[in-house]
């Protein structure tokens, strides 16, 4: 990771976290070139933001304007590139003739925090990892429009949303119930959804059997950060993070030890024993230089409280 950040200087920009498998990776881009660095829990991760933040472009294309974008934007794109990216996404409903098979899923992020969504079957569970779904089950598979129709039926009949803000996910992630409780809530939602067959459920959507997949281990949320300097630490539940990076600024430093990752979020153990969440959507478009040690010198915000921590930069 340190080597990749060091080589990012001179035009390599971070493209954020991706989950092609069960191990998170950081993507990098320079013009049309792409590269990745695999992340490892327990390893050091640190960088310093340099200069200004620029638009990351859209659909693999460089932003023609080289536009500067706000530090707090999680999209990392100028208005024109954001419109282009959205216009070609599945969510825009502009691909009605898409021949691929899609899957409908039920995702769980915390007690009472569930959503329905769709993803291309060839992507497997990558979309669930990208969203930070703690547990999930497939519900059905079929053509795009059938999957989209099922999504609408569940929203209307069951009151299940198709979007959940990342801020709410972070709050719940710090105090998760046990595995059985997580699975039970997914199973209960699955039963309610399956009962809708014959009542608005598209005939072309094949229902898939309930199989709850728990991703706590993949995300590292079941790991206990090694306390310092206790010589023989007693394993205790890891305290949930209470602060998150609000934005990067020129010269701002974020460095620590990676203890967990979920969706775009990296959980970093920092000096003083705390854990800070870094939403990697905030670092796209920045030129990053390597930093070692444990230091956070960027504006932070309380998770769940909404208040900005003072005196941190």
């Amino acid at each position: 990771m340190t080597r990749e950040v060091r080589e990012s200087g001179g035009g390599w920009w971070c493209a954020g976290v991706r989950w092609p498998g069960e191990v998170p990776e950081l993507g990098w881009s320079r013009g049309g070139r792409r590269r990745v660095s695999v992340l490892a829990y327990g390893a050091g991760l640190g960088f310093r933001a340099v200069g200004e933040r620029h638009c990351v472009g859209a659909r693999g294309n460089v932003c023609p304007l080289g536009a500067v974008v706000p530090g707090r934007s999680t999209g990392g794109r100028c208005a024109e590139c954001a419109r282009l990216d959205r216009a070609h996404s599945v969510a825009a409903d502009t691909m009605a003739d898409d021949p691929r098979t899609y899957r409908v899923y039920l995702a769980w992020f915390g007690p009472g925090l569930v959503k329905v969504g769709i993803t291309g079957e060839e992507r497997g569970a990558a979309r669930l990892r990208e969203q930070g779904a703690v547990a999930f089950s497939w519900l059905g598979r079929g053509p795009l429009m059938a999957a989209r129709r099922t999504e609408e039926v569940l929203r209307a009949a069951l009151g299940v949303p198709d979007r959940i803000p990342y801020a709410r996910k972070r709050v719940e992630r710090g105090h998760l119930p046990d595995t059985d409780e997580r699975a039970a809530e997914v199973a209960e939602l699955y039963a309610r959804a399956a009962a809708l067959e014959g009542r608005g459920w598209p005939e072309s959507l094949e229902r898939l059997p309930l199989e709850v997949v728990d991703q706590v281990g993949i995300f590292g949320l079941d790991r206990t950060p090694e306390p310092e300097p206790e010589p023989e630490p007693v394993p205790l539940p890891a305290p949930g993070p209470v602060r998150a990076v609000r934005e990067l600024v020129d010269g701002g430093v974020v460095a620590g030890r990676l203890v967990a990752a979920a969706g775009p979020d990296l959980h970093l153990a920092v000096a003083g024993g705390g854990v800070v969440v870094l939403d990697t959507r905030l670092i796209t478009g920045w030129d990053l230089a390597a930093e070692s040690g444990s230091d956070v010198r960027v504006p932070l915000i309380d998770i769940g409280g909404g208040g900005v921590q003072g005196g941190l930069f």
Side-chain angles (χ1 to χ4, degrees):
M1 171 59 198
T2 301
R3 180 180 63 84
E4 296 288 353
V5 171
R6 184 180 300 115
E7 292 183 358
S8 71
W12 281 100
W13 289 350
C14 185
V17 168
R18 58 191 66 189
W19 291 87
E22 297 187 353
V23 178
E25 301 176 350
L26 271 182
W28 302 93
S29 66
R30 180 165 64 186
R33 298 175 60 190
R34 302 287 185 270
R35 67 193 309 176
V36 298
S37 50
V38 178
L39 301 179
Y41 299 138
L45 187 155
F47 60 82
R48 171 172 44 85
V50 179
E52 296 178 308
R53 187 187 188 192
H54 292 85
C55 174
V56 296
R59 301 286 153 178
N61 299 307
V62 176
C63 174
L65 303 177
V68 174
V69 294
R72 297 186 193 180
S73 167
T74 54
R77 293 184 172 89
C78 67
E80 288 300 318
C81 287
R83 277 193 288 271
L84 177 61
D85 187 68
R86 176 72 179 178
H88 291 83
S89 72
V90 172
D93 281 338
T94 58
M95 305 165 62
D97 59 347
D98 190 332
R100 294 175 296 176
T101 298
Y102 282 81
R103 288 199 173 202
V104 182
Y105 60 80
L106 303 173
W108 186 94
F109 299 92
L113 211 58
V114 293
K115 63 158 283 187
V116 58
I118 70 173
T119 185
E121 187 168 66
E122 76 280 0
R123 296 201 67 209
R127 181 64 178 152
L128 282 303
R129 293 188 288 268
E130 292 168 355
Q131 295 185 43
V134 177
F136 74 92
S137 176
W138 300 116
L139 178 64
R141 63 187 296 273
L144 173 60
M145 289 299 102
R148 182 65 75 203
R149 172 61 181 163
T150 305
E151 193 179 38
E152 294 171 357
V153 168
L154 266 60
R155 285 205 307 267
L158 305 181
V160 181
D162 63 344
R163 294 174 185 269
I164 294 177
Y166 277 99
R168 291 191 63 193
K169 298 177 187 178
R170 294 184 190 112
V171 171
E172 298 299 332
R173 199 183 298 151
H175 44 84
L176 297 173
D178 62 31
T179 306
D180 290 342
E181 287 188 57
R182 299 194 292 265
E185 193 163 346
V186 176
E188 190 272 338
L189 178 60
Y190 177 93
R192 293 171 60 204
L196 294 173
E197 280 192 284
R199 294 189 293 154
W201 183 296
E203 293 183 1
S204 56
L205 191 89
E206 171 194 354
R207 181 157 64 91
L208 296 174
L210 171 68
E211 184 177 348
V212 180
V213 178
D214 197 283
Q215 304 197 115
V216 162
I218 292 174
F219 293 154
L221 297 174
D222 58 347
R223 302 175 72 252
T224 302
E226 299 174 7
E228 300 177 12
E230 295 290 337
E232 296 182 359
V234 177
L236 295 172
V242 295
R243 297 175 298 167
V245 172
R246 184 181 66 173
E247 63 180 313
L248 298 189
V249 292
D250 182 25
V253 172
V254 177
R257 182 164 45 86
L258 182 66
V259 294
D265 291 348
L266 301 181
H267 294 211
L268 300 174
V270 299
V275 175
V276 171
V277 174
L278 169 65
D279 183 341
T280 56
R281 297 176 300 170
L282 295 174
I283 69 178
T284 59
W286 281 99
D287 191 6
L288 304 177
E291 287 282 342
S292 58
S294 181
D295 193 12
V296 178
R297 286 184 280 120
V298 294
L300 300 180
I301 189 169
D302 292 328
I303 294 178
V308 177
Q309 300 280 333
L312 292 165
F313 183 75

